[in-house]
Amino acid sequence: MGLFSRKKRQDVDAVDAHEDIEKNAAADGAAADGTAADGTADDGASTAVGDEGSAADVVQASPEQEADEQEVGAPSDGTADEASGETGDAGAEETTGRGDHLAEGPFDESDAPEEDRIDLGGLQVPTIDGMELRMEVDQRTSAVTGANLVIGGSSVQVQAFAAPKSRGLWDDVRTSLRDSVVKQGGTAETRPGAFGTELITRLPVKRADGRTGYRPARFIGIDGRRWFLRAILTGKALSDAEQARAIETVISRLVVVRGGEAMAPQELIPLNLPGQRPGLNQIGASSLDPLARGPEITQIG
């Protein structure tokens, strides 16, 4: 591992449609369970599983990725739903099978094998040569809200949330995200993947030349022991099988540190910057707003 540098979040004109996707999904989910959704996208204050910020900012994290230039490759077994608009979750229980490139995780802290990792509080990230770690920080509260792991031309944004003991969150979150994408004129498809059912989205965005393009993203959700991990892939891993496997391997080696404190479902498990162990400053449970970007930590190794 190597040096870390930080830089403040920059306001980008294209907070993009992905940000709106999660905002709308959050609002829909909030209406269903009575939780209020915070609609402030610019300061990124509230964070929850299906909120704004997540996908939008992750897509922004790959400046080389232009709308319409990246297409999501088909699963290894060739199965995929048609994404001409809204698609259902039929076949949601299917998987392509766990590949040999994957570890047994993501792990609960109690089950994690010994390995050198970067301690981010609620998440522990394996140390990988050449990987960049970019931390998402809420400018208003200075709370760390997510981590972006960048390998080559691919990026994955990861966040962990508290979940009920009785059931997982991914089915509900995936449905809300899919419906929100379709409402915004995008396409969404479910397909079996390395960790179970995934969601592939293409969101319409305005290009610099005034034309409409589409930005793709791959959402992975993993239900664990009283926690839910969400990963959003962008960049080359969407179409390059080797890069996809590398990112999937990293995800499978992550450790979630849920802790024993009481937390509301969909509440972001607190994170901290590498090397820092502040008192747990929890982010309130509003509708999932995982990717509000902030200071970034660059270049590991």
Side-chain angles (χ1 to χ4, degrees):
M1 307 301 295
L3 79 110
F4 296 93
S5 64
R6 300 176 59 186
K7 67 179 180 181
K8 273 290 186 186
R9 173 181 180 180
Q10 299 180 359
D11 292 324
V12 204
D13 283 340
V15 174
D16 304 335
H18 267 306
E19 199 161 308
D20 292 331
I21 288 183
E22 299 208 330
K23 182 188 297 183
N24 294 342
D28 292 343
D33 64 11
T35 304
D38 185 346
T40 55
D42 286 343
D43 44 20
S46 67
T47 299
V49 188
D51 247 359
E52 74 235 77
S54 262
D57 286 331
V58 173
V59 173
Q60 293 283 348
S62 304
E64 73 280 359
Q65 180 184 350
E66 291 296 332
D68 267 333
E69 289 186 357
Q70 203 81 4
E71 290 296 335
V72 183
S76 55
D77 64 357
T79 60
D81 294 332
E82 191 63 34
S84 57
E86 181 177 5
T87 63
D89 263 352
E93 298 304 316
E94 298 180 58
T95 66
T96 57
R98 198 170 182 90
D100 294 339
H101 62 294
L102 300 179
E104 294 300 317
F107 300 98
D108 187 84
E109 181 185 21
S110 61
D111 301 327
E114 288 294 324
E115 182 180 9
D116 288 335
R117 299 185 182 94
I118 306 164
D119 186 355
L120 303 179
L123 284 173
Q124 294 179 3
V125 177
T127 57
I128 297 173
D129 288 342
M131 183 179 74
E132 296 179 21
L133 173 60
R134 301 174 179 174
M135 302 302 295
E136 313 282 345
V137 179
D138 182 337
Q139 292 188 73
R140 188 173 67 184
T141 65
S142 296
V144 182
T145 60
N148 265 294
L149 315 178
V150 182
I151 301 176
S154 302
S155 173
V156 59
Q157 190 249 16
V158 290
Q159 292 173 303
F161 302 85
K165 292 180 180 179
S166 57
R167 65 182 184 87
L169 296 177
W170 181 222
D171 286 350
D172 293 341
V173 170
R174 186 176 65 247
T175 298
S176 295
L177 288 170
R178 185 191 66 228
D179 292 348
S180 185
V181 170
V182 173
K183 283 180 183 178
Q184 295 179 66
T187 63
E189 65 177 77
T190 54
R191 74 177 191 190
F195 298 96
T197 303
E198 302 179 351
L199 184 68
I200 308 301
T201 65
R202 293 177 73 248
L203 197 68
V205 293
K206 190 78 81 172
R207 301 175 58 137
D209 59 8
R211 294 184 300 165
T212 298
Y214 290 86
R215 280 215 179 110
R218 174 184 171 192
F219 288 77
I220 293 173
I222 302 167
D223 290 308
R225 187 179 304 168
R226 296 176 62 227
W227 51 260
F228 166 71
L229 179 73
R230 190 183 68 177
I232 308 173
L233 279 69
T234 55
K236 292 181 180 178
L238 296 179
S239 56
D240 185 302
E242 184 175 348
Q243 290 239 345
R245 287 167 63 91
I247 295 292
E248 290 168 357
T249 299
V250 173
I251 294 172
S252 73
R253 292 166 60 187
L254 294 172
V255 175
V256 178
V257 183
R258 164 64 175 80
E261 67 278 6
M263 297 179 70
Q266 299 189 5
E267 184 174 356
L268 181 69
I269 298 175
L271 299 174
N272 55 251
L273 298 176
Q276 297 183 2
R277 264 296 192 179
L280 292 184
N281 192 11
Q282 295 188 6
I283 298 170
S286 59
S287 303
L288 319 164
D289 156 1
L291 288 216
R293 255 168 101 183
E296 299 180 345
I297 295 175
T298 328
Q299 192 59 33
I300 302 177

